[in-house]
Amino acid sequence: MPDPGQYDQQALETLVERALALAKAGGATAAEAGVGVSTGLSVTVRFGEVETLEYQRDRSLGVTVYAGQRKGSASTANLTPAAVDETIAKALSIASFTTADEFAGLPDADRMAGRLPDLDLSHPWALEASAAVELAKRCEAAGLAFDARIRNSEGASVSTNRKLRVFGNSHGFIGGYPSTSHSVSCVVVGQTDGDMQRDYWYTAARDWRALEDVEAVGRRAAEKAVRRLGAGRLSTRKAPVLFAPELARGLIGHFTGAIGGGAQYRRSSFLLDAKGEQVFPEAISLNERPHLPGALGSAPFDSEGVATRDRELVVAGVLDGYLLDSYSARKLGLATTGNAGGVHNLVVQGRMLDPKSLLRQLGTGLLVTEMMGQGVNGVTGDYSRGASGFWVENGEIARPVHEITVAGNLRQMYRGIVALGDDVDRRGAIHCGSILIDEMTIAGD
């Protein structure tokens, strides 16, 4: 893949320093600037033929200036001196027309990150296009060969990306670090007796050497598709529901959205003013760990330059605080928590069981492996989404099911968690295993 070009970290730091100096010279009372350059390679093959091959090379500069408490922002993909000058001028012009906002401004200077830890986030993959194509072909071939019932493919993909970002502000903070991300994915379709079922699998990591074997990815996708063949429907009922890890992450994602500063100060959260409340069972805790080496959600500072830190967000089921950037913190009369841009490695902990033990704990109920639709109300917590998976009886998978809906209320669902799986999915900023909920409504025939 192509290298990041002529920009190294020192060059980007110099560019940010120049942008901040220009903003100050133009009359800004405060300013912040972030610049990033990235390169990437992505290939997709279908039935052994190259379907797409993309090289990506991006660069961008974003600037925010403050004239008192009036704010203006502008960005550009051109990093030449003339383009930087023009971008600063546009930001200053925008600020001159905006209304003053008493909550606008940079985070407090003492919140800025100091010495940045090495989080082991950069592992470039010297992957040529021809080698990437070969890996994708091997991945898809393994999926197609897994079972005679695998009749179709939506392709296998391999991608690799390198990024270098530098951020600074007029407090004197300037910091940056390189990072990488790599992934392999496969989607196949199984068919038998007129029934077709599609499924997928993927692996993702900062270090390409930590990716799952490409053949294993293809086989896992095929295994999942074959298991779903012959799926039927269920009659409407109430039963325990077990969410697979990749779906359980989404459940926790709704929680982080509800305790985000924006939802709180807009009064649009089903967990409004919930700090100090019992929101999960006593056995469950949620901890933010932004400095885990090599993790996809790790970062030494947030998108405002505020230092990230370990934090106990939920202790013994009780919510200990919110996820705040500097603006939402001021609106709420609180302090930023270093979560501008999102959460960093939120680790869900509790009573953790292996997959077989989870099924035994489930007893008779529904194992959900795929969801459709966006039926989640962030204000009321009402939850209703299309689902497919497996009906479980006496702790054993009985048959695949589809075309059903699972419904409940997120507040009750969180309090109704009875066990977690040790099959933790770390392919994102939320680290969570399967989640077993005591009861939900399952709507079917």
Side-chain angles (χ1 to χ4, degrees):
M1 65 177 287
D3 64 37
Q6 72 268 36
Y7 298 104
D8 59 17
Q9 185 162 332
Q10 182 59 55
L12 296 188
E13 289 181 0
T14 299
L15 192 155
V16 168
E17 289 170 346
R18 179 173 181 271
L20 295 173
L22 286 170
K24 183 177 181 180
T29 55
E32 58 187 9
V35 60
V37 295
S38 64
T39 61
L41 167 67
S42 177
V43 302
T44 298
V45 303
R46 184 167 183 264
F47 285 113
E49 299 293 330
V50 177
E51 194 163 72
T52 63
L53 191 159
E54 299 179 1
Y55 284 107
Q56 165 257 324
R57 184 189 296 266
D58 292 328
R59 55 189 181 182
S60 64
L61 168 70
V63 178
T64 297
V65 301
Y66 297 92
Q69 290 180 304
R70 291 178 296 156
K71 174 183 175 182
S73 298
S75 62
T76 180
N78 186 342
L79 303 186
T80 64
V84 174
D85 292 351
E86 183 180 357
T87 303
I88 299 297
K90 286 181 178 178
L92 289 166
S93 175
I94 292 169
S96 71
F97 289 101
T98 58
T99 302
D101 183 341
E102 63 177 308
F103 303 106
L106 300 179
D108 293 341
D110 61 1
R111 296 279 178 172
M112 295 296 102
R115 185 172 178 272
L116 304 185
D118 179 5
L119 301 181
D120 194 32
L121 303 182
S122 181
H123 296 274
W125 193 1
L127 185 66
E128 298 295 333
S130 58
V133 168
E134 182 60 29
L135 287 172
K137 285 182 177 180
R138 286 167 48 196
C139 180
E140 183 190 45
L144 291 171
F146 178 78
D147 190 289
R149 291 168 291 180
I150 299 296
R151 304 283 183 84
N152 206 343
S153 168
E154 293 185 13
S157 299
V158 175
S159 69
T160 177
N161 184 273
R162 300 174 64 180
K163 184 174 184 179
L164 175 60
R165 177 167 172 78
V166 170
F167 177 85
N169 60 31
S170 50
H171 284 323
F173 170 79
I174 188 163
Y177 56 93
S179 62
T180 56
S181 60
H182 317 287
S183 67
V184 177
S185 63
C186 185
V187 185
V188 294
V189 180
Q191 183 176 352
T192 183
D193 298 328
D195 180 31
M196 289 196 303
Q197 297 289 342
R198 165 193 177 278
D199 220 317
Y200 72 97
W201 189 246
Y202 76 98
T203 178
R206 296 270 189 199
D207 187 342
W208 57 273
R209 287 158 294 207
L211 294 171
E212 294 177 35
D213 180 78
V214 293
E215 281 91 354
V217 172
R219 288 192 294 267
R220 181 71 180 273
E223 178 188 16
K224 292 177 68 184
V226 168
R227 288 180 69 197
R228 292 176 57 175
L229 289 170
R233 301 185 66 182
L234 289 171
S235 59
T236 297
R237 66 191 70 189
K238 289 188 176 181
V241 176
L242 175 61
F243 289 86
E246 55 269 30
L247 306 181
R249 281 193 302 149
L251 288 181
I252 301 302
H254 299 312
F255 173 76
T256 62
I259 63 169
Q264 291 291 321
Y265 79 72
R266 293 187 184 97
R267 317 293 291 176
S268 59
S269 169
F270 66 91
L271 291 175
L272 188 63
D273 301 327
K275 181 181 179 181
E277 290 186 21
Q278 189 86 34
V279 292
F280 289 96
E282 190 174 330
I284 291 180
S285 296
L286 275 67
N287 309 312
E288 191 176 17
R289 297 291 183 259
H291 298 165
L292 294 177
L296 288 168
S298 293
F301 55 85
D302 72 0
S303 60
E304 295 182 311
V306 174
T308 54
R309 59 183 176 84
D310 286 355
R311 183 182 178 204
E312 318 311 310
L313 192 60
V314 173
V315 180
V318 176
L319 179 62
D320 193 51
Y322 306 112
L323 300 172
L324 308 174
D325 59 14
S326 59
Y327 184 82
S328 62
R330 292 190 188 106
K331 292 280 282 187
L332 295 167
L334 301 169
T336 177
T337 58
N339 290 110
V343 70
H344 305 98
N345 299 325
L346 187 62
V347 181
V348 183
Q349 297 179 320
R351 181 189 174 216
M352 305 183 82
L353 303 175
D354 62 76
K356 288 186 177 180
S357 298
L358 267 180
L359 288 177
R360 287 196 295 269
Q361 174 89 32
L362 172 65
T364 297
L366 178 67
L367 165 60
V368 179
T369 58
E370 185 174 22
M371 306 206 76
M372 292 76 72
Q374 304 295 324
V376 182
N377 188 319
V379 179
T380 65
D382 289 338
Y383 184 96
S384 179
R385 297 187 65 192
S388 61
F390 300 89
W391 184 248
V392 178
E393 294 179 354
N394 300 317
E396 299 285 343
I397 290 177
R399 62 186 185 276
V401 295
H402 66 172
E403 297 179 5
I404 55 178
T405 300
V406 292
N409 183 276
L410 286 166
R411 261 189 175 270
Q412 297 168 0
M413 290 162 64
Y414 295 147
R415 291 295 302 272
I417 295 175
V418 294
L420 303 174
D422 62 6
D423 48 354
V424 178
D425 186 349
R426 296 182 173 86
R427 296 172 297 179
I430 295 173
H431 296 186
C432 182
S434 298
I435 288 180
L436 175 59
I437 295 175
D438 58 358
E439 184 178 87
M440 293 183 69
T441 297
I442 303 167
D445 292 329

